[in-house]
Amino acid sequence: MPSTPLLTGVGHRPAFHVMTKPIGPICNLDCRYCFYLEKEDLYQSERKQRPSWAMPEEVLESYIQQYIASQSVPEINFAWQGGEPTLLGVRFFERVVELQKKYADGKTIHNAFQTNGTLLNDAWGEFLAKNNFLIGLSVDGPAHLHDAYRVDKQGRPTFDRVMAGMAVLKKHGVEFNTLTVVNRKNSQEPLAVYKFLREVGSGFIQFIPLVERNPVAPIETENGLIQLSLATPAQPGQPRSPVTDWSVRSEDYGTFLSVIFDEWVRRDIGKTFVQMFDVALGNWAGAGPSLCVFAETCGAALALEHNGDLYACDHYVYPDYKLGNLMETPLADLVNSETMVKFGNDKRDLLPKYCRECDVRFACHGECPKHRFLKAPDGEWGLNYLCAGYLKFFHHVDPYMKTMTALLRSGRAPAELMGMLLQRETAAAAKKTPGRNDACPCGSGKKYKVCCLHKK
């Protein structure tokens, strides 16, 4: 499933996006870097009353009805995630489709579904194809990189099972894209990751940088103090905590994107779609950010837990960011509440001066607030941990983005840049004087030193 799109600005929203967790944090895998598995600790008291994690029928129906009714747009996009949603079985999502048809009221309904792929079988393939679900498949690269962190509850590798799941999707003609978490390990092998994804047939590739901090203190919940393994999102004045040893290094992420871009821009424009590159081109072309992390404000992308609790964002599922429960307060009221408006505007209003004066602010806007826990060079709090990486990447792609933008504005395809680069680089190579032991440019097959070197 594509990362959260930017659907609208802050204020009264004609449309908004909710990442729905119908089975909460429950998953059949135990990915070492997963930030969501520990959300189980937030619902300890509820588990004593109701052991099942599946979203109750009454919550599911109320959510679907409210989500459709509260958006004044002709197309409604549902996003289902976890945990691992396939644990609920096909029947649960057959009921989802039934309820969507019941409350559609003439609107077109779309469904996106994020999965680790390990439980996909023919029954799933038939259902997903029949109902036109878009599938986001989590895969971190070839086996040696994927299995570094993505393991099951017994610590066993999962790559082969993911590939089997991908085969099911291909067999049934289910549209899918891939989501790759860029971590400390696979960030060191950008071309291995990209070429693998391209070769297995991922036509739409998403890269998500992994940035998690170690906790500095327990958090307070309705169950009392609990110690999570990861830190809550940073707040002004909080002490900085070090990132986990699986988090990507900032400059490594910039290099990772730049190396892949150099491959993509020379052979894959218009053939393989890399979300990061498409978003960047939209920014350079003046279309504005199409991804929430690069928008000036946020607040139109929320997260719904299995029991109807609504949170400000998927990365902010903590007590301080709980807006309420849709079984007690209408969904539209929660989405448009003053608390949510402030949450969205804070992204812009708390941006450090260093970022406000940056030459690539238009492409970044300080990225996700969750990652803003460093001090800027002038000492102001709130610099994004990934700043160095983004500066490296955005400056690297700037001339290419400007050329593609010029092509678009003249009614030409950005893919023409590939031919332009080939022509320029071929000409440059022809002008270069070969070394004594290089092949002679005349095409004789001899070394330059025994062929044309002395003929000039």
Side-chain angles (χ1 to χ4, degrees), residues 264-327:
W264 175 83
V265 80
R266 285 166 174 79
R267 59 165 292 171
D268 292 329
I269 302 176
K271 302 173 186 176
T272 301
F273 295 90
V274 180
Q275 183 187 50
M276 183 69 181
F277 305 160
D278 289 349
V279 171
L281 180 57
N283 287 333
W284 257 263
S290 57
L291 196 63
C292 68
V293 295
F294 296 125
E296 185 175 25
T297 61
C298 59
L302 306 94
L304 183 74
E305 259 293 342
H306 64 291
N307 67 341
D309 286 347
L310 188 70
Y311 292 85
C313 173
D314 179 45
H315 288 284
Y316 284 77
V317 178
Y318 295 96
D320 289 349
Y321 301 95
K322 178 180 170 181
L323 301 170
N325 188 291
L326 61 77
M327 300 301 287

Short mmCIF file of all heavy atoms in Angstrom, two decimals, residues 264-327:
data_model
loop_
_atom_site.label_atom_id
_atom_site.label_comp_id
_atom_site.label_asym_id
_atom_site.label_seq_id
_atom_site.Cartn_x
_atom_site.Cartn_y
_atom_site.Cartn_z
N TRP A 264 18.08 4.65 -12.03
CA TRP A 264 16.72 4.86 -12.53
C TRP A 264 16.67 5.93 -13.63
O TRP A 264 16.00 5.75 -14.65
CB TRP A 264 15.83 5.27 -11.35
CG TRP A 264 14.43 5.65 -11.71
CD1 TRP A 264 13.37 4.80 -11.90
CD2 TRP A 264 13.92 6.97 -11.91
NE1 TRP A 264 12.23 5.53 -12.19
CE2 TRP A 264 12.54 6.85 -12.21
CE3 TRP A 264 14.50 8.24 -11.85
CZ2 TRP A 264 11.74 7.96 -12.46
CZ3 TRP A 264 13.70 9.35 -12.10
CH2 TRP A 264 12.34 9.21 -12.40
N VAL A 265 17.38 7.01 -13.44
CA VAL A 265 17.27 8.14 -14.36
C VAL A 265 17.89 7.82 -15.73
O VAL A 265 17.58 8.48 -16.72
CB VAL A 265 17.92 9.40 -13.75
CG1 VAL A 265 19.44 9.40 -13.90
CG2 VAL A 265 17.32 10.67 -14.35
N ARG A 266 18.73 6.80 -15.78
CA ARG A 266 19.38 6.43 -17.04
C ARG A 266 18.69 5.30 -17.78
O ARG A 266 18.97 5.10 -18.97
CB ARG A 266 20.85 6.07 -16.77
CG ARG A 266 21.71 7.29 -16.51
CD ARG A 266 23.07 6.99 -15.92
NE ARG A 266 23.87 8.21 -15.85
CZ ARG A 266 23.74 9.14 -14.90
NH1 ARG A 266 22.83 8.97 -13.93
NH2 ARG A 266 24.48 10.23 -14.92
N ARG A 267 17.78 4.58 -17.11
CA ARG A 267 17.18 3.44 -17.83
C ARG A 267 15.72 3.14 -17.47
O ARG A 267 15.06 2.39 -18.20
CB ARG A 267 18.00 2.17 -17.60
CG ARG A 267 18.15 1.72 -16.18
CD ARG A 267 18.64 0.27 -16.10
NE ARG A 267 17.63 -0.67 -16.57
CZ ARG A 267 17.88 -1.96 -16.77
NH1 ARG A 267 19.09 -2.45 -16.57
NH2 ARG A 267 16.90 -2.77 -17.17
N ASP A 268 15.19 3.73 -16.40
CA ASP A 268 13.88 3.26 -15.92
C ASP A 268 12.79 4.32 -15.83
O ASP A 268 11.70 4.04 -15.33
CB ASP A 268 14.03 2.61 -14.54
CG ASP A 268 14.81 1.31 -14.60
OD1 ASP A 268 14.74 0.63 -15.64
OD2 ASP A 268 15.51 0.99 -13.62
N ILE A 269 13.05 5.55 -16.28
CA ILE A 269 12.00 6.58 -16.21
C ILE A 269 10.79 6.12 -17.04
O ILE A 269 10.93 5.74 -18.19
CB ILE A 269 12.49 7.93 -16.75
CG1 ILE A 269 13.71 8.42 -15.97
CG2 ILE A 269 11.38 8.98 -16.67
CD1 ILE A 269 14.32 9.71 -16.52
N GLY A 270 9.63 6.14 -16.45
CA GLY A 270 8.43 5.73 -17.15
C GLY A 270 8.20 4.23 -17.18
O GLY A 270 7.17 3.77 -17.66
N LYS A 271 9.18 3.47 -16.67
CA LYS A 271 9.06 2.02 -16.66
C LYS A 271 8.88 1.50 -15.23
O LYS A 271 8.01 0.67 -14.97
CB LYS A 271 10.31 1.38 -17.27
CG LYS A 271 10.61 1.81 -18.70
CD LYS A 271 11.95 1.25 -19.15
CE LYS A 271 12.35 1.78 -20.51
NZ LYS A 271 13.70 1.30 -20.92
N THR A 272 9.73 1.96 -14.35
CA THR A 272 9.65 1.61 -12.94
C THR A 272 9.37 2.88 -12.16
O THR A 272 10.06 3.88 -12.33
CB THR A 272 10.97 0.99 -12.44
OG1 THR A 272 11.26 -0.18 -13.21
CG2 THR A 272 10.87 0.62 -10.97
N PHE A 273 8.35 2.85 -11.33
CA PHE A 273 7.95 4.05 -10.58
C PHE A 273 8.44 3.94 -9.15
O PHE A 273 8.08 3.01 -8.42
CB PHE A 273 6.43 4.22 -10.63
CG PHE A 273 5.92 4.49 -12.01
CD1 PHE A 273 5.54 3.44 -12.85
CD2 PHE A 273 5.84 5.79 -12.51
CE1 PHE A 273 5.09 3.67 -14.14
CE2 PHE A 273 5.40 6.03 -13.80
CZ PHE A 273 5.03 4.98 -14.62
N VAL A 274 9.30 4.87 -8.79
CA VAL A 274 9.82 4.94 -7.43
C VAL A 274 9.15 6.13 -6.77
O VAL A 274 9.29 7.28 -7.21
CB VAL A 274 11.35 5.12 -7.43
CG1 VAL A 274 11.88 5.19 -6.00
CG2 VAL A 274 12.01 3.96 -8.18
N GLN A 275 8.37 5.86 -5.74
CA GLN A 275 7.54 6.90 -5.13
C GLN A 275 8.34 8.16 -4.79
O GLN A 275 7.90 9.27 -5.06
CB GLN A 275 6.87 6.35 -3.88
CG GLN A 275 5.91 7.33 -3.21
CD GLN A 275 5.39 6.79 -1.89
OE1 GLN A 275 6.17 6.36 -1.05
NE2 GLN A 275 4.09 6.80 -1.71
N MET A 276 9.50 7.98 -4.19
CA MET A 276 10.31 9.12 -3.77
C MET A 276 10.66 10.02 -4.94
O MET A 276 10.64 11.26 -4.84
CB MET A 276 11.58 8.61 -3.08
CG MET A 276 12.47 9.70 -2.54
SD MET A 276 11.72 10.53 -1.13
CE MET A 276 12.98 11.74 -0.78
N PHE A 277 10.97 9.43 -6.09
CA PHE A 277 11.36 10.21 -7.26
C PHE A 277 10.15 10.91 -7.88
O PHE A 277 10.24 12.05 -8.34
CB PHE A 277 12.04 9.32 -8.29
CG PHE A 277 13.22 8.54 -7.75
CD1 PHE A 277 13.68 7.40 -8.39
CD2 PHE A 277 13.88 8.94 -6.59
CE1 PHE A 277 14.76 6.69 -7.89
CE2 PHE A 277 14.96 8.23 -6.07
CZ PHE A 277 15.40 7.09 -6.73
N ASP A 278 9.01 10.23 -7.89
CA ASP A 278 7.79 10.84 -8.42
C ASP A 278 7.36 12.03 -7.56
O ASP A 278 6.95 13.07 -8.08
CB ASP A 278 6.65 9.81 -8.45
CG ASP A 278 6.85 8.76 -9.53
OD1 ASP A 278 7.75 8.94 -10.37
OD2 ASP A 278 6.11 7.76 -9.52
N VAL A 279 7.46 11.86 -6.25
CA VAL A 279 7.09 12.95 -5.33
C VAL A 279 8.02 14.14 -5.53
O VAL A 279 7.59 15.30 -5.57
CB VAL A 279 7.13 12.46 -3.87
CG1 VAL A 279 6.97 13.63 -2.91
CG2 VAL A 279 6.02 11.43 -3.63
N ALA A 280 9.32 13.86 -5.66
CA ALA A 280 10.28 14.94 -5.86
C ALA A 280 10.00 15.69 -7.16
O ALA A 280 10.02 16.93 -7.20
CB ALA A 280 11.70 14.38 -5.88
N LEU A 281 9.71 14.97 -8.23
CA LEU A 281 9.41 15.62 -9.50
C LEU A 281 8.18 16.50 -9.39
O LEU A 281 8.14 17.61 -9.93
CB LEU A 281 9.22 14.57 -10.60
CG LEU A 281 8.90 15.13 -11.99
CD1 LEU A 281 9.99 16.10 -12.46
CD2 LEU A 281 8.72 13.99 -13.00
N GLY A 282 7.18 16.03 -8.65
CA GLY A 282 5.99 16.85 -8.44
C GLY A 282 6.31 18.15 -7.73
O GLY A 282 5.78 19.22 -8.05
N ASN A 283 7.22 18.08 -6.77
CA ASN A 283 7.63 19.29 -6.05
C ASN A 283 8.40 20.25 -6.96
O ASN A 283 8.17 21.46 -6.95
CB ASN A 283 8.48 18.92 -4.84
CG ASN A 283 7.66 18.31 -3.72
OD1 ASN A 283 6.47 18.58 -3.59
ND2 ASN A 283 8.28 17.46 -2.91
N TRP A 284 9.33 19.73 -7.74
CA TRP A 284 10.10 20.59 -8.64
C TRP A 284 9.20 21.20 -9.72
O TRP A 284 9.43 22.33 -10.16
CB TRP A 284 11.22 19.79 -9.29
CG TRP A 284 12.56 20.06 -8.69
CD1 TRP A 284 13.51 20.93 -9.14
CD2 TRP A 284 13.12 19.46 -7.50
NE1 TRP A 284 14.62 20.91 -8.32
CE2 TRP A 284 14.41 20.01 -7.30
CE3 TRP A 284 12.66 18.53 -6.58
CZ2 TRP A 284 15.24 19.66 -6.24
CZ3 TRP A 284 13.48 18.17 -5.53
CH2 TRP A 284 14.75 18.73 -5.36
N ALA A 285 8.18 20.45 -10.13
CA ALA A 285 7.28 20.94 -11.19
C ALA A 285 6.22 21.89 -10.65
O ALA A 285 5.43 22.44 -11.43
CB ALA A 285 6.62 19.76 -11.89
N GLY A 286 6.19 22.08 -9.35
CA GLY A 286 5.24 23.03 -8.76
C GLY A 286 3.88 22.45 -8.47
O GLY A 286 2.94 23.19 -8.17
N ALA A 287 3.76 21.12 -8.54
CA ALA A 287 2.47 20.48 -8.28
C ALA A 287 2.19 20.36 -6.80
O ALA A 287 1.08 20.06 -6.39
CB ALA A 287 2.42 19.11 -8.94
N GLY A 288 3.21 20.58 -5.97
CA GLY A 288 3.03 20.46 -4.52
C GLY A 288 3.27 19.05 -4.06
O GLY A 288 3.29 18.10 -4.86
N PRO A 289 3.45 18.87 -2.77
CA PRO A 289 3.76 17.54 -2.22
C PRO A 289 2.57 16.60 -2.30
O PRO A 289 1.44 16.97 -2.01
CB PRO A 289 4.12 17.84 -0.76
CG PRO A 289 3.38 19.10 -0.45
CD PRO A 289 3.38 19.90 -1.71
N SER A 290 2.82 15.38 -2.73
CA SER A 290 1.75 14.37 -2.81
C SER A 290 1.92 13.31 -1.72
O SER A 290 1.26 12.28 -1.77
CB SER A 290 1.76 13.71 -4.19
OG SER A 290 3.03 13.14 -4.46
N LEU A 291 2.81 13.56 -0.78
CA LEU A 291 3.07 12.63 0.31
C LEU A 291 3.10 13.42 1.60
O LEU A 291 3.74 14.47 1.69
CB LEU A 291 4.40 11.93 0.07
CG LEU A 291 4.72 10.67 0.86
CD1 LEU A 291 3.72 9.56 0.53
CD2 LEU A 291 6.13 10.20 0.56
N CYS A 292 2.41 12.91 2.62
CA CYS A 292 2.22 13.69 3.84
C CYS A 292 3.52 14.11 4.51
O CYS A 292 3.61 15.20 5.06
CB CYS A 292 1.32 12.93 4.82
SG CYS A 292 2.08 11.43 5.52
N VAL A 293 4.55 13.26 4.47
CA VAL A 293 5.78 13.61 5.19
C VAL A 293 6.47 14.83 4.59
O VAL A 293 7.26 15.49 5.26
CB VAL A 293 6.77 12.42 5.24
CG1 VAL A 293 6.19 11.29 6.06
CG2 VAL A 293 7.17 11.96 3.85
N PHE A 294 6.19 15.14 3.32
CA PHE A 294 6.83 16.29 2.69
C PHE A 294 5.89 17.49 2.55
O PHE A 294 6.24 18.48 1.91
CB PHE A 294 7.37 15.90 1.31
CG PHE A 294 8.46 14.88 1.37
CD1 PHE A 294 8.36 13.68 0.66
CD2 PHE A 294 9.57 15.07 2.16
CE1 PHE A 294 9.36 12.72 0.72
CE2 PHE A 294 10.58 14.12 2.24
CZ PHE A 294 10.47 12.94 1.51
N ALA A 295 4.72 17.40 3.14
CA ALA A 295 3.78 18.52 3.11
C ALA A 295 4.15 19.57 4.15
O ALA A 295 4.81 19.28 5.14
CB ALA A 295 2.37 18.02 3.38
N GLU A 296 3.72 20.80 3.92
CA GLU A 296 4.02 21.87 4.86
C GLU A 296 3.33 21.63 6.20
O GLU A 296 3.90 21.88 7.26
CB GLU A 296 3.60 23.21 4.29
CG GLU A 296 3.99 24.39 5.17
CD GLU A 296 3.67 25.73 4.54
OE1 GLU A 296 2.77 25.79 3.68
OE2 GLU A 296 4.33 26.73 4.90
N THR A 297 2.09 21.17 6.16
CA THR A 297 1.35 20.80 7.37
C THR A 297 0.91 19.35 7.23
O THR A 297 0.95 18.77 6.15
CB THR A 297 0.12 21.69 7.57
OG1 THR A 297 -0.76 21.53 6.45
CG2 THR A 297 0.52 23.15 7.71
N CYS A 298 0.48 18.75 8.33
CA CYS A 298 -0.06 17.40 8.27
C CYS A 298 -1.39 17.40 9.02
O CYS A 298 -1.95 18.45 9.30
CB CYS A 298 0.92 16.37 8.81
SG CYS A 298 1.43 16.63 10.52
N GLY A 299 -1.88 16.23 9.34
CA GLY A 299 -3.12 16.17 10.10
C GLY A 299 -4.29 15.55 9.36
O GLY A 299 -5.38 15.42 9.91
N ALA A 300 -4.06 15.15 8.09
CA ALA A 300 -5.13 14.52 7.33
C ALA A 300 -4.87 13.04 7.12
O ALA A 300 -5.44 12.42 6.24
CB ALA A 300 -5.29 15.21 5.98
N ALA A 301 -3.98 12.48 7.93
CA ALA A 301 -3.64 11.06 7.81
C ALA A 301 -3.59 10.46 9.21
O ALA A 301 -2.64 10.67 9.94
CB ALA A 301 -2.30 10.91 7.10
N LEU A 302 -4.64 9.74 9.57
CA LEU A 302 -4.81 9.27 10.93
C LEU A 302 -4.69 7.75 11.02
O LEU A 302 -4.56 7.08 10.01
CB LEU A 302 -6.16 9.75 11.48
CG LEU A 302 -6.41 11.26 11.39
CD1 LEU A 302 -7.16 11.62 10.11
CD2 LEU A 302 -7.21 11.75 12.59
N ALA A 303 -4.78 7.23 12.24
CA ALA A 303 -4.71 5.78 12.45
C ALA A 303 -5.86 5.34 13.34
O ALA A 303 -6.14 5.98 14.37
CB ALA A 303 -3.37 5.41 13.09
N LEU A 304 -6.53 4.27 12.94
CA LEU A 304 -7.65 3.73 13.70
C LEU A 304 -7.29 2.37 14.26
O LEU A 304 -6.93 1.46 13.50
CB LEU A 304 -8.89 3.60 12.81
CG LEU A 304 -10.15 3.11 13.52
CD1 LEU A 304 -10.73 4.22 14.41
CD2 LEU A 304 -11.19 2.63 12.51
N GLU A 305 -7.37 2.23 15.57
CA GLU A 305 -7.09 0.94 16.20
C GLU A 305 -8.33 0.04 16.13
O GLU A 305 -9.44 0.48 15.84
CB GLU A 305 -6.63 1.13 17.64
CG GLU A 305 -5.13 1.00 17.82
CD GLU A 305 -4.63 -0.42 17.55
OE1 GLU A 305 -5.44 -1.37 17.56
OE2 GLU A 305 -3.43 -0.59 17.33
N HIS A 306 -8.12 -1.22 16.48
CA HIS A 306 -9.14 -2.26 16.33
C HIS A 306 -10.40 -2.00 17.12
O HIS A 306 -11.48 -2.46 16.77
CB HIS A 306 -8.54 -3.60 16.76
CG HIS A 306 -8.17 -3.63 18.22
ND1 HIS A 306 -7.13 -2.89 18.74
CD2 HIS A 306 -8.73 -4.30 19.27
CE1 HIS A 306 -7.05 -3.10 20.03
NE2 HIS A 306 -8.00 -3.96 20.39
N ASN A 307 -10.31 -1.25 18.22
CA ASN A 307 -11.47 -1.01 19.09
C ASN A 307 -12.17 0.31 18.80
O ASN A 307 -13.09 0.69 19.52
CB ASN A 307 -11.03 -1.04 20.55
CG ASN A 307 -10.12 0.14 20.90
OD1 ASN A 307 -9.53 0.75 20.00
ND2 ASN A 307 -9.99 0.44 22.18
N GLY A 308 -11.73 1.02 17.75
CA GLY A 308 -12.37 2.30 17.40
C GLY A 308 -11.62 3.52 17.89
O GLY A 308 -12.04 4.65 17.62
N ASP A 309 -10.51 3.34 18.60
CA ASP A 309 -9.69 4.48 19.03
C ASP A 309 -9.03 5.12 17.82
O ASP A 309 -8.44 4.42 16.98
CB ASP A 309 -8.61 4.03 20.01
CG ASP A 309 -9.15 3.72 21.40
OD1 ASP A 309 -10.31 4.06 21.68
OD2 ASP A 309 -8.40 3.12 22.20
N LEU A 310 -9.10 6.45 17.76
CA LEU A 310 -8.51 7.18 16.65
C LEU A 310 -7.31 7.97 17.15
O LEU A 310 -7.40 8.68 18.16
CB LEU A 310 -9.54 8.12 16.02
CG LEU A 310 -9.11 8.80 14.71
CD1 LEU A 310 -9.03 7.77 13.57
CD2 LEU A 310 -10.07 9.92 14.34
N TYR A 311 -6.20 7.87 16.42
CA TYR A 311 -4.96 8.57 16.78
C TYR A 311 -4.57 9.53 15.66
O TYR A 311 -4.95 9.35 14.50
CB TYR A 311 -3.83 7.57 17.02
CG TYR A 311 -4.03 6.71 18.25
CD1 TYR A 311 -4.80 5.55 18.20
CD2 TYR A 311 -3.48 7.07 19.48
CE1 TYR A 311 -4.99 4.76 19.32
CE2 TYR A 311 -3.66 6.29 20.61
CZ TYR A 311 -4.42 5.14 20.52
OH TYR A 311 -4.61 4.36 21.65
N ALA A 312 -3.75 10.50 16.03
CA ALA A 312 -3.38 11.56 15.09
C ALA A 312 -2.62 11.04 13.88
O ALA A 312 -2.68 11.63 12.80
CB ALA A 312 -2.55 12.64 15.81
N CYS A 313 -1.89 9.95 14.05
CA CYS A 313 -1.05 9.43 12.97
C CYS A 313 -0.62 8.02 13.33
O CYS A 313 -0.57 7.65 14.50
CB CYS A 313 0.17 10.33 12.77
SG CYS A 313 1.41 9.72 11.61
N ASP A 314 -0.28 7.24 12.33
CA ASP A 314 0.19 5.88 12.54
C ASP A 314 1.45 5.84 13.40
O ASP A 314 1.67 4.90 14.16
CB ASP A 314 0.47 5.24 11.17
CG ASP A 314 0.98 3.81 11.28
OD1 ASP A 314 0.41 3.05 12.06
OD2 ASP A 314 1.95 3.48 10.59
N HIS A 315 2.29 6.87 13.31
CA HIS A 315 3.51 6.93 14.10
C HIS A 315 3.29 7.59 15.47
O HIS A 315 4.25 7.77 16.22
CB HIS A 315 4.60 7.68 13.34
CG HIS A 315 5.15 6.91 12.18
ND1 HIS A 315 6.03 5.86 12.33
CD2 HIS A 315 4.92 7.00 10.85
CE1 HIS A 315 6.33 5.36 11.15
NE2 HIS A 315 5.68 6.03 10.23
N TYR A 316 2.07 7.97 15.76
CA TYR A 316 1.75 8.65 17.01
C TYR A 316 0.68 7.90 17.81
O TYR A 316 -0.16 8.50 18.45
CB TYR A 316 1.30 10.09 16.74
CG TYR A 316 2.43 11.03 16.39
CD1 TYR A 316 3.00 11.03 15.13
CD2 TYR A 316 2.92 11.93 17.33
CE1 TYR A 316 4.04 11.89 14.80
CE2 TYR A 316 3.95 12.81 17.01
CZ TYR A 316 4.51 12.78 15.75
OH TYR A 316 5.54 13.65 15.45
N VAL A 317 0.71 6.59 17.73
CA VAL A 317 -0.24 5.78 18.50
C VAL A 317 0.29 5.65 19.93
O VAL A 317 0.88 4.64 20.33
CB VAL A 317 -0.49 4.41 17.84
CG1 VAL A 317 -1.45 3.58 18.68
CG2 VAL A 317 -1.05 4.61 16.44
N TYR A 318 0.11 6.72 20.67
CA TYR A 318 0.49 6.83 22.08
C TYR A 318 -0.63 7.58 22.80
O TYR A 318 -1.39 8.33 22.16
CB TYR A 318 1.82 7.59 22.23
CG TYR A 318 3.00 6.87 21.64
CD1 TYR A 318 3.44 7.17 20.36
CD2 TYR A 318 3.67 5.89 22.36
CE1 TYR A 318 4.54 6.51 19.81
CE2 TYR A 318 4.76 5.22 21.82
CZ TYR A 318 5.19 5.53 20.55
OH TYR A 318 6.26 4.87 20.00
N PRO A 319 -0.76 7.41 24.10
CA PRO A 319 -1.88 8.04 24.83
C PRO A 319 -2.03 9.54 24.59
O PRO A 319 -3.15 10.03 24.48
CB PRO A 319 -1.53 7.74 26.30
CG PRO A 319 -0.76 6.46 26.25
CD PRO A 319 0.06 6.54 24.99
N ASP A 320 -0.93 10.28 24.50
CA ASP A 320 -1.02 11.72 24.34
C ASP A 320 -1.63 12.15 23.01
O ASP A 320 -2.06 13.30 22.87
CB ASP A 320 0.38 12.36 24.45
CG ASP A 320 0.91 12.33 25.88
OD1 ASP A 320 0.12 12.01 26.79
OD2 ASP A 320 2.11 12.60 26.07
N TYR A 321 -1.68 11.23 22.05
CA TYR A 321 -2.16 11.59 20.72
C TYR A 321 -3.47 10.89 20.36
O TYR A 321 -3.87 10.89 19.20
CB TYR A 321 -1.08 11.28 19.68
CG TYR A 321 0.20 12.03 19.95
CD1 TYR A 321 1.24 11.43 20.65
CD2 TYR A 321 0.35 13.35 19.53
CE1 TYR A 321 2.41 12.11 20.93
CE2 TYR A 321 1.52 14.04 19.80
CZ TYR A 321 2.54 13.42 20.50
OH TYR A 321 3.71 14.11 20.77
N LYS A 322 -4.11 10.29 21.36
CA LYS A 322 -5.41 9.67 21.13
C LYS A 322 -6.48 10.77 21.08
O LYS A 322 -6.61 11.59 21.99
CB LYS A 322 -5.73 8.68 22.24
CG LYS A 322 -7.09 8.03 22.11
CD LYS A 322 -7.33 7.06 23.26
CE LYS A 322 -8.76 6.58 23.32
NZ LYS A 322 -9.00 5.66 24.46
N LEU A 323 -7.25 10.79 19.98
CA LEU A 323 -8.27 11.82 19.78
C LEU A 323 -9.60 11.44 20.41
O LEU A 323 -10.40 12.31 20.76
CB LEU A 323 -8.47 12.07 18.27
CG LEU A 323 -7.21 12.52 17.51
CD1 LEU A 323 -7.48 12.49 16.01
CD2 LEU A 323 -6.79 13.90 17.96
N GLY A 324 -9.86 10.15 20.52
CA GLY A 324 -11.13 9.67 21.05
C GLY A 324 -11.49 8.36 20.39
O GLY A 324 -10.67 7.74 19.70
N ASN A 325 -12.73 7.94 20.58
CA ASN A 325 -13.20 6.68 20.02
C ASN A 325 -14.43 6.96 19.17
O ASN A 325 -15.36 7.66 19.60
CB ASN A 325 -13.54 5.69 21.13
CG ASN A 325 -13.84 4.30 20.61
OD1 ASN A 325 -14.86 4.07 19.97
ND2 ASN A 325 -12.94 3.36 20.88
N LEU A 326 -14.46 6.43 17.94
CA LEU A 326 -15.55 6.74 17.02
C LEU A 326 -16.89 6.15 17.45
O LEU A 326 -17.94 6.52 16.91
CB LEU A 326 -15.19 6.31 15.60
CG LEU A 326 -14.92 4.85 15.29
CD1 LEU A 326 -16.18 4.00 15.19
CD2 LEU A 326 -14.12 4.73 14.00
N MET A 327 -16.87 5.25 18.44
CA MET A 327 -18.13 4.74 18.97
C MET A 327 -18.72 5.70 20.00
O MET A 327 -19.88 5.56 20.40
CB MET A 327 -17.91 3.37 19.60
CG MET A 327 -17.38 2.32 18.64
SD MET A 327 -18.47 2.02 17.22
CE MET A 327 -19.79 1.10 18.02
#
